[in-house]
Amino acid sequence: MSTRYPFTAVVGMDDLRLALLLNAVSPAVGGVLVRGEKGTAKSTAVRALAELLPQVAVVAGCRFSCDPASPDPGCPDGPHGDGGADARPARMVELPVGASEDRLVGSLDIEKALADGVKAFEPGLLAAAHRGILYVDEVNLLSDHLIDHLLDAAAMGASHVEREGVSVRHAARFLLVGTMNPEEGELRPQLLDRFGLTVEVAASRVPEERVEVVRRRLAFEDDPAGFAGRWAGEEAALRERIVAARELLPKVALGDAVLLQIAATCAAFEVDGMRADIVMARTATALAAWAGREEVTSEDVRRAALLALPHRRRRNPFDAPGMDEDKLDETLERFKGDEPEDDPDPGPDGPGDGGPGGGGVPPQGGEGPAPETDGVPEQAPAQAPEPAPEPEPAPEPEHAPRGAAGERAAVKAGEPFRTKTLSVPGLGEGAAGRRSRARTQNGRTTGATRPQGTLTKLHLSATVRAAAPHQRARGRSGAGLVVRRDDLRQAVREGREGNLVLFVVDASGSMAARRRMGAVKGAVLSLLLDAYQRRDKVGLVTFRGRAAELALPPTSSVDAAAARLEELPTGGRTPLSAGLLKARDVLRVERLRDPSRRPLLVVVTDGRATGGGPDPVGLAARAARLHAADGTASVVVDCEAGPVRLGLAGGLARHLGGTAVTLDELRADAIAGLVREAQVNRSVRRAA
């Protein structure tokens, strides 16, 4: 069995360690979402937590970890009599991003269920995680159908497996811990809200702390058992403190004055629903128990708000998580009632004693002195208050003064709006999403086929029809249907897939009028928001001056695309052909990396071409026809303005084999016919 890195040996990351410990004290807090850049020991800290959890008592022989004191009456292994009890360590179960649905919820032997009426059920990861920790690394990359099962289990405390009228249910209550890198995309709002607390982590910028991180890691890799042994005392003390806090937790009083502060704080920050109030109350209570107190104070409420609210006050994926601490303090002071004075030492590790969880360094021979790292700080590190909204830029004429290189400063994007759906024609087989039609594991049933590998979705009527002609030959004598493996039929289902939406944005001088560029950026931002909601990957190519560049390689992080768009300067000539050729190179590489994900090319331009060769318009037309030959679905967003319009964007759309839509039409019902028109255009091309 491999040795895990000790929890108490983790340097810094006080907020993360505090959030994990509070969940160890009170699992009802609801788990932790850890957001941060790569290489910050997020996974190391989470995996180390499992070693600190007290052992759990389970019914002997039960695969579903039933509690002997109150066994689940619906347990598939039940009913449980006096079969005895066992004690085992709390489990930490890891859910891989690419796991199948059967691996998560369990699998049912459909052949035995149909032929013998026997529920032969093999438990999945949700059963294994019951009364333990379910850890999802890169949780933001988890497939939608797995997220749906997680949401159901988290909401009901149970997992249901339904297969054509055959049903199995078992308890599934677990501490959900997820880690993610925001650069790779955001979480669905429903799953985000299921995490009780959230913390942001980043690598320390203090050289001494970075040195200590490296020193400890190298010592652990050289001798894992010896390194863990040096921290065994610290680990044992922290484990005892968790047990003591759990015992104290039911005695902690949550007064009306504190409840009023919690409600006022949630109302002031306009969080949705009531879950935030409940999570804050549970977190504040756990903080008091962790500090050894029987009453909750205002400081507990403040620290609970900093952990429970940042991820609940985002209105769209482009909002940065965070809290205005000045506003928080003002709200707490305004609704502060009569309460006991705050403990002079509210921190969970005691009055500067370098106690459990403090990351202090025990004697380690020649490893050298370590920097002093107290335990969890007395309050979460301050975050910068939200900046005041920028005033709208003053109108600027088309020919405003430019810099030496003809470049203008970035223009603020206009307000995003709801767009009509743009989709790729045909039927795909890509990753599950919400944009284009595709064959998927979930959706409406459209047919049946022989299963390739493990049967996942049974087509009952097709299976019965396949087995019916052979009943006499198989010697059927009873009421049960004699079903063989060859009779089973897999349901073919049609749902929606996510696509790669590649934006090609004209940032040349012809687009540089501030009002027009602001509207263009607002339109692209609206399409990015639509891509986020439909689970797409996005990429951003821009062209201006003499060339095109890949401003953002294809990614699931639409907020990264929005940030690049916001910073986009304008000016120079219009190398339209370079932008289209760059986009084709990007799509060629992505087809090799992810051949099942179909692309949608969105070209945002006024159609003018003033650079790239002696015949820029002809070069752009030839580049567009290359995309058409590749079969790439495309839409041109026509940004041409003014009383005289040349219609160049419409001509570009014809060369692409796609459709053109103006900025105004992007909002209107007229865009609803774009997909049908694209399908007609493709049919005409094939016939020709």
Side-chain angles (χ1 to χ4, degrees):
M1 182 177 178
S2 61
T3 302
R4 286 188 174 134
Y5 193 89
F7 188 86
T8 48
V10 175
V11 177
M13 297 199 299
D14 300 320
D15 282 351
L16 171 57
R17 290 187 291 123
L18 174 60
L20 292 173
L21 290 171
L22 292 178
N23 275 275
V25 171
S26 176
V29 166
V32 186
L33 174 64
V34 189
R35 298 165 49 93
E37 58 196 24
K38 52 187 176 292
T40 49
K42 302 186 295 292
S43 300
T44 298
V46 173
R47 292 188 177 103
L49 176 68
E51 299 295 325
L52 299 176
L53 297 181
Q55 289 195 332
V56 295
V58 298
V59 173
C62 178
R63 298 174 297 166
F64 301 87
S65 303
C66 280
D67 187 349
S70 57
D72 180 10
C75 177
D77 284 356
H80 298 297
D82 298 328
D86 293 331
R88 62 160 176 78
R91 292 174 180 158
M92 191 190 77
V93 177
E94 296 194 37
L95 171 59
V97 170
S100 66
E101 181 179 333
D102 283 349
R103 185 73 185 98
L104 177 64
V105 302
S107 57
L108 196 64
D109 192 324
I110 300 297
E111 186 175 359
K112 286 187 177 180
L114 287 176
D116 305 325
V118 177
K119 295 180 182 179
F121 181 69
E122 183 65 28
L125 296 178
L126 290 179
H130 180 48
R131 303 178 66 203
I133 301 173
L134 181 63
Y135 172 49
V136 189
D137 194 14
E138 306 294 350
V139 63
N140 51 324
L141 302 182
L142 204 62
S143 299
D144 270 8
H145 68 286
L146 298 183
I147 289 178
D148 291 338
H149 289 295
L150 275 183
L151 289 172
D152 288 342
M156 298 183 294
S159 175
H160 294 263
V161 181
E162 302 283 349
R163 294 287 172 82
E164 303 297 340
V166 181
S167 176
V168 173
R169 174 213 164 274
H170 64 82
R173 291 183 294 275
F174 45 81
L175 175 61
L176 181 61
V177 180
T179 57
M180 60 174 285
N181 183 349
E183 294 179 357
E184 297 173 341
E186 287 292 346
L187 276 177
R188 283 172 53 178
Q190 296 94 331
L191 184 57
L192 187 65
D193 191 50
R194 284 293 173 185
F195 287 97
L197 310 179
T198 184
V199 291
E200 298 275 342
V201 297
S204 173
R205 299 298 184 258
V206 180
E208 291 79 8
E209 285 192 5
R210 297 176 74 97
V211 167
E212 185 60 25
V213 170
V214 174
R215 179 184 291 124
R216 295 187 189 184
R217 189 69 204 185
L218 293 178
F220 172 75
E221 291 177 355
D222 288 343
D223 182 13
F227 183 85
R230 289 194 290 272
W231 290 89
E234 296 278 323
E235 294 281 290
L238 188 57
R239 192 177 294 111
E240 292 175 2
R241 185 171 179 182
I242 292 173
V243 173
R246 282 189 172 188
E247 294 175 351
L248 180 62
L249 186 66
K251 304 175 184 177
V252 176
L254 190 67
D256 290 341
V258 171
L259 281 172
L260 180 60
Q261 284 186 314
I262 291 172
T265 301
C266 292
F269 284 95
E270 300 180 351
V271 296
D272 295 331
M274 295 297 298
R275 184 172 286 119
D277 304 62
I278 297 171
V279 171
M280 274 189 63
R282 289 171 173 166
T283 305
T285 304
L287 279 164
W290 181 246
R293 288 184 272 104
E294 292 189 2
E295 290 195 54
V296 176
T297 67
S298 292
E299 181 60 25
D300 295 327
V301 175
R302 185 182 192 278
R303 298 169 73 187
L306 291 173
L307 292 171
L309 296 188
H311 63 300
R312 290 187 164 89
R313 56 180 304 272
R314 303 182 73 186
R315 287 295 177 263
N316 65 63
F318 310 134
D319 293 337
M323 292 281 290
D324 183 343
E325 294 196 40
D326 291 337
K327 181 178 178 180
L328 174 61
D329 292 336
E330 179 184 341
T331 303
L332 292 176
E333 185 64 30
R334 179 182 174 190
F335 289 91
K336 187 174 184 179
D338 295 332
E339 62 171 75
E341 292 187 5
D342 290 355
D343 192 316
D345 171 42
D349 291 333
D353 59 359
V361 184
Q364 297 187 33
E367 291 183 11
E372 186 175 324
T373 55
D374 290 339
V376 181
E378 294 192 358
Q379 63 184 39
Q383 301 180 24
E386 294 181 341
E390 297 181 5
E392 288 294 326
E396 178 175 319
E398 288 281 340
H399 302 290
R402 306 183 182 186
E407 181 179 292
R408 300 183 185 182
V411 178
K412 184 178 178 63
E415 284 296 319
F417 52 86
R418 187 176 65 87
T419 66
K420 296 291 184 173
T421 304
L422 302 174
S423 61
V424 179
L427 190 64
E429 295 181 348
R434 298 183 178 180
R435 183 172 296 278
S436 305
R437 293 175 56 227
R439 296 185 184 91
T440 60
Q441 290 294 320
N442 299 281
R444 63 186 182 89
T445 301
T446 60
T449 185
R450 291 182 180 272
Q452 301 295 323
T454 304
L455 177 73
T456 55
K457 298 291 183 181
L458 178 73
H459 195 295
L460 182 58
S461 61
T463 299
V464 171
R465 288 196 302 270
H470 308 291
Q471 296 305 295
R472 181 175 298 177
R474 292 173 183 174
R476 173 185 172 184
S477 58
L481 189 67
V482 181
V483 179
R484 303 284 170 80
R485 177 68 59 180
D486 290 343
D487 300 329
L488 299 180
R489 295 294 182 267
Q490 175 85 19
V492 176
R493 300 193 174 190
E494 182 179 311
R496 295 280 170 177
E497 67 177 359
N499 298 110
L500 167 59
V501 182
L502 182 61
F503 294 92
V504 181
V505 180
D506 185 348
S508 65
S510 66
M511 302 279 288
R514 292 184 69 86
R515 282 185 175 178
R516 180 147 49 107
M517 197 60 199
V520 168
K521 284 188 175 183
V524 178
L525 198 64
S526 303
L527 292 168
L528 283 171
L529 181 59
D530 181 68
Y532 163 75
Q533 294 168 341
R534 299 185 185 282
R535 312 291 178 258
D536 294 318
K537 290 178 69 174
V538 296
L540 179 63
V541 171
T542 64
F543 58 94
R544 64 187 180 89
R546 296 179 179 274
E549 67 169 333
L550 180 59
L552 181 72
T555 175
S556 297
S557 179
V558 295
D559 52 342
R564 300 291 174 87
L565 179 72
E566 194 73 24
E567 300 165 359
L568 180 64
T570 59
R573 300 177 72 82
T574 312
L576 178 56
S577 60
L580 294 173
L581 292 174
K582 185 68 171 180
R584 188 167 184 255
D585 289 341
V586 173
L587 294 179
R588 177 180 55 81
V589 173
E590 286 302 309
R591 284 190 179 99
L592 296 175
R593 290 178 176 170
D594 191 357
S596 63
R597 189 181 290 268
R598 298 184 295 161
L600 175 63
L601 184 68
V602 179
V603 184
V604 185
T605 180
D606 57 8
R608 298 180 184 179
T610 59
D615 181 14
V617 175
L619 288 174
R622 286 195 288 274
R625 286 194 289 270
L626 291 175
H627 282 283
D630 293 338
T632 303
S634 59
V635 173
V636 177
V637 179
D638 185 358
C639 303
E640 192 173 25
V644 179
R645 304 200 179 200
L646 303 178
L648 297 175
L652 177 64
R654 288 190 292 274
H655 289 300
L656 285 167
T659 55
V661 56
T662 66
L663 288 175
D664 291 336
E665 290 170 339
L666 196 58
R667 302 171 179 260
D669 293 339
I671 201 172
L674 283 178
V675 176
R676 290 191 295 273
E677 187 177 338
Q679 292 172 327
V680 171
N681 288 340
R682 292 186 70 180
S683 299
V684 170
R685 289 201 313 272
R686 288 172 180 170

